[in-house]
Amino acid sequence: MVEIVIVGGGWAGCTAAITARKAGAKVVLLEKSDLLLGCGLTAGITRNNGRYTAAEELKCLGAEELVEIIDSATGHMGVNFPGHSHASLYDPTMVEPMVREVLERIGVDVRMLSRAVDVVMESARMIEGVVLSDETVIEGDVFIDAAGSAGPMGNCLRYGRGCSMCILRCPSFGPRISISSRAGVEDIVGIRDDGTYGAFSGSCELNKESLSQKIRDELDRKGVVMLPIPDKDANMRQLEIKACQQYALPEFEKNIILLDTGSHAKLMKPFYPIEKLRKIPGLERAIYECPQRSDANSVRFLCRAPRDNTMKVSGLDNLFCAGEKSGFFVGCTEAIATGFIAGYNAKRLAMGETLLELPRYLAVGDLIAYENECVQSGDLKNKYSFSGGIYFQRMRDLGLYITDKEWIKEKVKQLLGAYV
Amino acid sequence: MANIECIDASSDYCPCYLAEVGECLTCSLLQGEAFCNCRWTGTCIFQEYAWSGFRARSKRETILCEVMERKITDDLLILTLKVPQRMAKSLEEPGSYIFLRGHSSLSFFDVPLAVMYINQMEKSIKLAIQIKGPKTKFLKNSNSLMYLRGPYQNGLFGLKQIKQTYRSGCLVILSGVAQTSGVSVIDELLKNGNEVTLVIDRSYPFFVREYISKDIKIYEEDLSSERGEKLLKDLISDENIRLIYTGGHSELQRQILEFALLYNPAAYLAFSNNSRLCCGEGICGSCELAVKGQKVRGCKAQFDVRGGYDG
Ligand SMILES: Cc1cc2nc3c(=O)[nH]c(=O)nc-3n(C[C@H](O)[C@H](O)[C@H](O)COP(=O)(O)OP(=O)(O)OC[C@H]3O[C@@H](n4cnc5c(N)ncnc54)[C@H](O)[C@@H]3O)c2cc1C
Ligand code: FES
């Protein structure tokens, strides 16, 4: 059986593992920390705007497991907040064990606390194995770099406001590395509007118990609470540093927007010093759960691999990429979409079959191709998400934004029919 | 590229002077690169650097020590020095060494010396010095006060391998004045439940005998003789041997490497660091080695010696 080795157990890596395994490959999934889902552990917003379409497309394409798990952990459905319609708010902490169960059930060899530190090359274009921090070498036929783009500490320090001890916990589990660059392919680096490198994560998680009863009740009822920010604190110039351009709207500048993601209340700001936060009525006792530092957040998007639309890394014969590693993509649905194609094609490559590109009349196919076009033409500033920013605008313009499940099913059915 | 780790990474002495000039062994940012790209699985060195104000962290001290005892037989001088408790504590690891000079000598008289034995109660350390060249002769002639600079740790290559070996068979081969380095290695191996066999090269007096546990099997043999060679081959070939430490001259190390690769390739190897150590801080360059073609500072680098290296 062919062996596919995936580095990184975030949404992208988990999806790639499930897809490759279902296609019949032997799959090893390496995760440096003691939890799966990576940045996804602090997510929780899904199906907002175009993510709805993408989630349905993915379900029909055969990536239903994870989409269904997310749906089952959803506490609020059809939530609207500024710039966003029909969001589902789910609890990522509930989802993690469920994802683990699926991986185990279908027989993915999940290795936690396994940090990749290097690669061994068979030739200039072929990876032979991945070296772990204890120096064991995990050999494979095909590899997938799904190590994300967040951190490590040095990047957070140099291009952010210091390590925020985010969910990836680099000090405990060691930093992320770029597998593709270890294999000799240079990373593409994202920039902000002012030209500095990388972008901040766009939200932080508050302990729900630390909020006033009134706010908690409102969160329970509506899933969302908006609290005006005192004038003098309103302009902290946070919007331009955020990765999530879908939240770069004036309402997010002038208000504290809290979303109920089950275990946490999600605060839609890259950071917000606790002193200032506690001046806002109802938040006098607020406490952060993640990141552990209220004036910083992790820095991301410094290491996009050059790739084609099959998700294969350019310049190498047996490495694929997925998730934030594969594009300036923000979001779990986006990671699932790219992980799906990467896992699928990894198996096809190993079997000597031609690789698949998703057609552009599906949102998932168009996102992957459009981001590539933009980056190749030199745009390193934009981020791409089904849920907002330039890409959601494009979905609307091209008629790719559909919320009718039956219609989406029909579209995918036609596509699958064409392949049979 | 060879996997080089820095002995001082994440220690009290990290980041060091090398970080200030973009020569850190570990951190890509402190090598002048734009982004994080390190193999190190420990606390972030760049973070420590930022917290220490973008300067090297604490520096090693030079302290004046009293000589408690001085014994000389032929060309071998054994010194017992009184040291502060924190110094004694920080010299416990295998491979620990210090620099020593007479109290009226200038710093370039510093002699690197492996710590042979530590008495934590008495707060004293024992050093063995073979009187050979000008530096050691000056040391022999100096009086009861000496300057000690330390602590330094890279007195052997393969510390990780030694510390990772549990409840296994281990072979320790010692020759000449490098015997000193074997005492703490044997202690560490015994502490981890290993069974230790010691081979002593007869070509030099077995002066560490009194510091070594009585429960280990000891062979004494002239290792340059044919019988010595046969003994080494036989012992190395034993598949129960998981680690071989060689404290001795480079010729002997080369021979052990050859035998190990032929007869017991799975065993870990560790060697005494025979580089010409001068500053110990990675600055002067006198200790430079080539590991798989990559130039490294012998006073800082840890690597798997099975891949060989050129001194
Ligand atoms: C604070 C925050 C809030 C967010 N909120 C939302 C939201 O509400 N909705 C949404 O859709 N998206 C959200 N996102 C974005 C979304 O979480 C990410 O885009 C997505 O999870 C990326 O997935 P990934 O698999 O590409 O990368 P990651 O999640 O970064 O996963 C990478 C994994 O690889 C592991 N890894 C790294 N290096 C190594 C190595 N050397 N060896 C082994 N393993 C390694 C990491 O530990 C990690 O588990 C949020 C992101 C953040 C940071
Ligand atoms: S002893 Fe000076 S650089 Fe190593």
Side-chain angles (χ1 to χ4, degrees):
Chain A
M1 228 189 320
V2 291
E3 190 107 30
I4 294 176
V5 179
I6 302 171
V7 180
W11 279 115
C14 290
T15 312
I18 292 174
T19 313
R21 179 73 196 127
K22 275 169 49 186
K26 206 169 154 222
V27 180
V28 180
L29 177 63
L30 305 171
E31 166 55 45
K32 73 175 169 108
S33 77
D34 56 359
L35 289 173
L36 294 172
L37 297 193
C39 291
L41 283 166
T42 57
I45 313 171
T46 194
R47 290 189 177 268
N48 42 338
N49 297 343
R51 281 186 186 148
Y52 189 96
T53 316
E56 288 303 317
E57 285 180 2
L58 285 163
K59 255 168 89 171
C60 301
L61 281 166
E64 66 280 5
E65 291 84 356
L66 296 180
V67 178
E68 279 163 8
I69 286 180
I70 292 176
D71 285 345
S72 75
T74 293
H76 300 273
M77 263 193 320
V79 179
N80 298 323
F81 56 93
H84 294 257
S85 303
H86 50 73
S88 290
L89 302 180
Y90 69 96
D91 191 342
T93 56
M94 268 172 72
V95 167
E96 198 273 349
M98 294 196 254
V99 172
R100 242 190 240 224
E101 277 160 31
V102 173
L103 289 165
E104 265 161 38
R105 193 179 64 235
I106 67 172
V108 173
D109 180 358
V110 182
R111 307 210 191 151
M112 305 303 291
L113 299 174
S114 298
R115 177 181 173 237
V117 295
D118 213 341
V119 294
V120 187
M121 300 298 287
E122 196 176 307
S123 66
R125 294 184 62 94
M126 290 278 279
I127 298 177
E128 183 181 327
V130 172
V131 186
L132 301 186
S133 55
D134 66 1
E135 269 158 54
T136 48
V137 177
I138 311 289
E139 290 183 357
D141 300 310
V142 183
F143 298 82
I144 302 177
D145 184 348
S149 76
M153 295 173 78
N155 286 340
C156 297
L157 215 57
R158 186 169 270 189
Y159 304 112
R161 297 163 57 106
C163 167
S164 57
M165 189 64 190
C166 69
I167 199 72
L168 297 179
R169 296 162 293 160
C170 306
S172 311
F173 299 111
R176 170 184 62 72
I177 64 150
S178 166
I179 296 291
S180 51
S181 91
R182 284 300 151 104
V185 176
E186 207 180 316
D187 286 332
I188 300 170
V189 179
I191 52 180
R192 295 174 217 164
D193 280 342
D194 66 357
T196 46
Y197 294 130
F200 275 82
S201 297
S203 75
C204 0
E205 321 307 307
L206 288 171
N207 178 310
K208 258 163 75 175
E209 321 283 282
S210 73
L211 313 177
S212 74
Q213 192 60 46
K214 188 166 157 265
I215 292 180
R216 279 157 62 189
D217 290 346
E218 196 176 334
L219 276 177
D220 270 351
R221 255 193 347 264
K222 300 200 283 191
V224 48
V225 171
M226 275 178 47
L227 305 168
I229 292 175
D231 279 346
K232 66 175 175 29
D233 291 338
N235 186 17
M236 296 208 301
R237 288 172 34 88
Q238 289 191 321
L239 293 186
E240 61 244 52
I241 62 174
K242 281 176 79 155
C244 314
Q245 289 168 350
Q246 68 270 31
Y247 305 125
L249 306 168
E251 287 87 341
F252 289 82
E253 184 96 79
K254 298 204 181 81
N255 295 287
I256 294 283
I257 299 183
L258 298 177
L259 299 173
D260 179 20
T261 55
S263 306
H264 302 139
K266 192 183 232 335
L267 190 166
M268 302 302 289
K269 292 264 180 196
F271 54 84
Y272 205 95
I274 213 155
E275 258 69 9
K276 289 184 195 273
L277 188 68
R278 289 182 173 179
K279 301 245 159 63
I280 295 168
L283 303 181
E284 293 84 354
R285 291 163 179 233
I287 262 189
Y288 284 98
E289 304 255 91
C290 182
Q292 294 292 338
R293 189 177 152 177
S294 68
D295 68 339
N297 207 328
S298 54
V299 167
R300 288 156 50 211
F301 302 103
L302 293 165
C303 57
R304 181 197 186 274
R307 59 156 174 95
D308 60 23
N309 295 337
T310 69
M311 304 316 285
K312 196 179 74 62
V313 174
S314 315
L316 292 167
D317 291 340
N318 66 344
L319 181 67
F320 288 83
C321 56
E324 290 185 3
K325 177 72 215 188
S326 67
F328 297 130
F329 299 125
V330 182
C332 302
T333 316
E334 292 73 2
I336 293 175
T338 49
F340 173 70
I341 305 301
Y344 189 74
N345 277 331
K347 174 70 198 320
R348 290 184 73 91
L349 179 80
M351 303 307 289
E353 292 161 0
T354 49
L355 304 184
L356 177 93
E357 271 182 42
L358 280 177
R360 296 185 71 158
Y361 65 82
L362 293 184
V364 285
D366 187 61
L367 176 90
I368 289 170
Y370 181 67
E371 191 269 356
N372 217 12
E373 262 166 37
C374 294
V375 171
Q376 280 170 1
S377 71
D379 172 17
L380 303 175
K381 285 189 178 164
N382 275 301
K383 305 288 176 297
Y384 301 80
S385 167
F386 301 114
S387 69
I390 59 164
Y391 191 73
F392 181 49
Q393 189 53 50
R394 177 180 163 86
M395 279 179 79
R396 278 187 298 202
D397 294 346
L398 298 183
L400 290 168
Y401 172 45
I402 305 169
T403 51
D404 177 347
K405 286 189 188 182
E406 287 311 312
W407 185 6
I408 296 169
K409 216 186 249 170
E410 209 42 52
K411 270 178 83 174
V412 177
K413 217 154 111 195
Q414 270 176 25
L415 161 74
L416 295 179
Y419 273 85
V420 181
Chain B
M1 246 189 18
N3 179 23
I4 306 293
E5 277 185 9
C6 178
I7 187 73
D8 292 324
S10 289
S11 76
D12 286 353
Y13 303 101
C14 170
C16 70
Y17 300 104
L18 296 178
E20 294 183 6
V21 290
E23 295 271 345
C24 178
L25 269 73
T26 311
C27 168
S28 58
L29 294 176
L30 293 174
Q31 289 164 358
E33 280 181 36
F35 302 106
C36 281
N37 185 15
C38 79
R39 283 185 68 135
W40 178 237
T41 308
T43 47
C44 170
I45 293 169
F46 190 72
Q47 158 96 351
E48 297 295 337
Y49 189 61
W51 276 110
S52 63
F54 296 90
R55 255 175 283 118
R57 200 135 161 240
S58 59
K59 325 241 150 112
R60 273 135 177 138
E61 343 167 64
T62 300
I63 48 177
L64 200 55
C65 296
E66 180 198 333
V67 177
M68 294 166 71
E69 195 186 24
R70 165 197 298 271
K71 270 204 289 196
I72 183 138
T73 22
D74 302 326
D75 65 344
L76 187 73
L77 169 65
I78 296 197
L79 289 180
T80 310
L81 298 181
K82 183 110 188 140
V83 294
Q85 183 160 29
R86 63 170 191 288
M87 185 63 77
K89 271 260 159 267
S90 56
L91 292 170
E92 272 183 333
E93 286 268 66
S96 295
Y97 71 99
I98 50 98
F99 287 94
L100 197 68
R101 65 176 193 263
H103 95 284
S104 54
S105 298
L106 294 171
S107 64
F108 50 80
F109 284 80
D110 271 346
V111 186
L113 296 168
V115 176
M116 176 166 65
Y117 180 77
I118 306 173
N119 185 331
Q120 295 291 359
M121 299 296 286
E122 202 183 82
K123 302 187 198 70
S124 70
I125 60 171
K126 279 190 195 296
L127 310 161
I129 304 130
Q130 189 181 20
I131 308 302
K132 261 199 314 215
K135 285 212 273 192
T136 46
K137 284 178 186 157
F138 270 104
L139 205 56
K140 184 178 136 204
N141 296 342
S142 47
N143 61 15
S144 61
L145 284 177
M146 292 196 172
Y147 277 119
L148 177 155
R149 176 159 59 88
Y152 293 87
Q153 320 291 157
N154 215 33
L156 54 84
F157 300 126
L159 183 61
K160 192 164 80 183
Q161 283 77 0
I162 290 174
K163 297 186 81 155
Q164 269 171 8
T165 307
Y166 288 91
R167 290 186 284 282
S168 308
C170 298
L171 188 60
V172 176
I173 301 160
L174 301 177
S175 167
V177 73
Q179 280 172 60
T180 43
S181 68
V183 179
S184 57
V185 172
I186 293 173
D187 282 349
E188 177 76 22
L189 292 174
L190 291 175
K191 198 177 83 196
N192 290 338
N194 295 293
E195 198 167 305
V196 179
T197 305
L198 172 64
V199 182
I200 289 285
D201 185 1
R202 272 236 179 93
S203 65
Y204 199 78
F206 181 15
F207 64 88
V208 296
R209 186 191 298 271
E210 60 182 298
Y211 307 112
I212 282 176
S213 159
K214 303 283 165 287
D215 321 322
I216 65 175
K217 182 150 184 57
I218 302 178
Y219 295 90
E220 290 181 65
E221 193 58 74
D222 176 0
L223 295 183
S224 57
S225 70
E226 239 170 73
R227 276 175 58 123
E229 201 167 296
K230 168 136 193 343
L231 176 71
L232 287 179
K233 263 190 210 165
D234 289 348
L235 290 172
I236 290 171
S237 312
D238 178 352
E239 59 185 31
N240 293 320
I241 296 293
R242 310 304 309 157
L243 176 114
I244 305 166
Y245 174 72
T246 311
H249 53 90
S250 302
E251 207 32 64
L252 177 64
Q253 292 181 348
R254 250 188 291 275
Q255 192 183 23
I256 304 291
L257 175 63
E258 194 187 308
F259 287 170
L261 292 181
L262 275 174
Y263 306 118
N264 195 346
Y268 285 132
L269 295 189
F271 287 164
S272 57
N273 179 350
N274 299 344
S275 321
R276 236 173 255 286
L277 299 170
C278 191
C279 67
E281 302 281 354
I283 302 296
C284 72
S286 65
C287 59
E288 191 167 88
L289 302 170
V291 182
K292 296 194 178 155
Q294 187 183 338
K295 288 195 170 149
V296 300
R297 299 278 146 115
C299 61
K300 286 276 183 182
Q302 283 283 313
F303 51 91
D304 188 345
V305 296
R306 282 179 299 189
Y309 61 95
D310 296 311

